[in-house]
Amino acid sequence: MKRLGHPIAAAEASARELEAEVRALDKLTPADNGKFPPVLAAIDVKAGYERALAAALGDDLDASTQAEAPARWGGADAPKAALPAGATALGDSVKAPPALAARLALVGVVAAKDGAKLQKLLSPGMRLVSREGDLWRWDGFVRTAAAPQPAAARLEHKTRLTAARAELDAADKRLANAKKTWEDARAERQTLETRGARCAGGGAEAFVEGGGRGARGRAL
């Protein structure tokens, strides 16, 4: 088999690398097609906010929105209370089922250095989180980013899997375009070579015929 040119080889290497990453992430991501799929399966979080969401919800990410599930999100009206100044709503960086609206409305994202002082301003039910995974709750509970957070890894895998699949689609398209460009160039080159051979052949025949007539003329 003829070796492909460098642009195609580079595009193919990129696509295959992403393909391997997607397969690996698929294995790390648990199946969500059970009887009571966890709400985590229906959540999309902005890259960089996975640890913040994991800190805010923790094991509650494993609860389902199915009414028959033993652990479930039933939904509640979002409270009107405002987060402290300096905190941004976590919900702005998360796409989640409506059943989580009340919880997300009470979670603010802050810089890690500001959590302790802003914790004193929280209303009942509120909590603050940092992007690193720290948690400050209205009732005085604190959990630092150093505490184990299995849900954070699951969210990061899920976010990266979504991005990797999109990157793989784009890489496959680049590879297909590179191959088409190469095939088109090869076909055009072959066409030009064929035309050149025909022209060269026609010129030789004319020369031979002309030379033959000259020889006959001199003989006469």
Side-chain angles (χ1 to χ4, degrees):
M1 179 178 178
K2 189 174 181 179
R3 189 174 180 181
L4 297 180
H6 176 69
I8 296 179
E12 189 164 27
S14 176
R16 298 297 74 82
E17 182 178 347
L18 285 165
E19 193 175 66
E21 183 182 7
V22 167
R23 285 198 301 268
L25 288 169
D26 265 329
K27 293 179 181 178
L28 292 172
T29 305
D32 297 322
N33 56 356
K35 184 178 179 181
F36 303 120
V39 71
L40 182 149
I43 290 177
D44 289 320
V45 56
K46 184 178 179 181
Y49 286 81
E50 297 92 350
R51 297 188 67 82
L53 181 61
L57 272 70
D59 291 340
D60 292 344
L61 284 166
D62 291 325
S64 177
T65 56
Q66 300 293 323
E68 301 81 10
R72 60 186 179 275
W73 288 89
D77 293 334
K80 303 294 185 182
L83 294 166
T88 59
L90 177 60
D92 292 343
S93 301
V94 177
K95 182 179 179 181
L100 274 68
R103 168 69 74 85
L104 292 175
L106 292 173
V107 181
V109 181
V110 297
K113 62 182 180 62
D114 297 330
K117 66 179 181 181
L118 293 179
Q119 183 180 24
K120 302 172 184 177
L121 305 177
L122 295 178
S123 300
M126 287 186 178
R127 56 190 68 192
L128 300 173
V129 294
S130 71
R131 291 180 62 174
E132 294 79 12
D134 302 289
L135 168 68
W136 299 268
R137 219 163 57 192
W138 68 277
D139 55 4
F141 178 80
V142 176
R143 185 177 63 230
T144 70
Q149 295 189 52
R154 292 165 61 194
L155 283 165
E156 287 169 345
H157 291 154
K158 186 175 185 291
T159 300
R160 179 54 196 156
L161 178 58
T162 300
R165 282 174 173 161
E167 291 173 16
L168 177 57
D169 287 342
D172 282 338
K173 289 177 182 177
R174 287 195 299 271
L175 176 58
N177 290 335
K179 287 182 176 179
K180 184 178 185 303
T181 299
W182 187 79
E183 292 291 348
D184 289 347
R186 184 176 66 170
E188 183 177 357
R189 184 176 65 249
Q190 289 176 341
T191 299
L192 292 173
E193 289 174 351
T194 300
R195 289 176 181 173
R198 288 175 179 172
C199 290
E205 291 175 2
F207 177 79
V208 170
E209 291 177 0
R213 286 194 296 271
R216 287 194 298 272
R218 288 194 297 272
L220 293 172

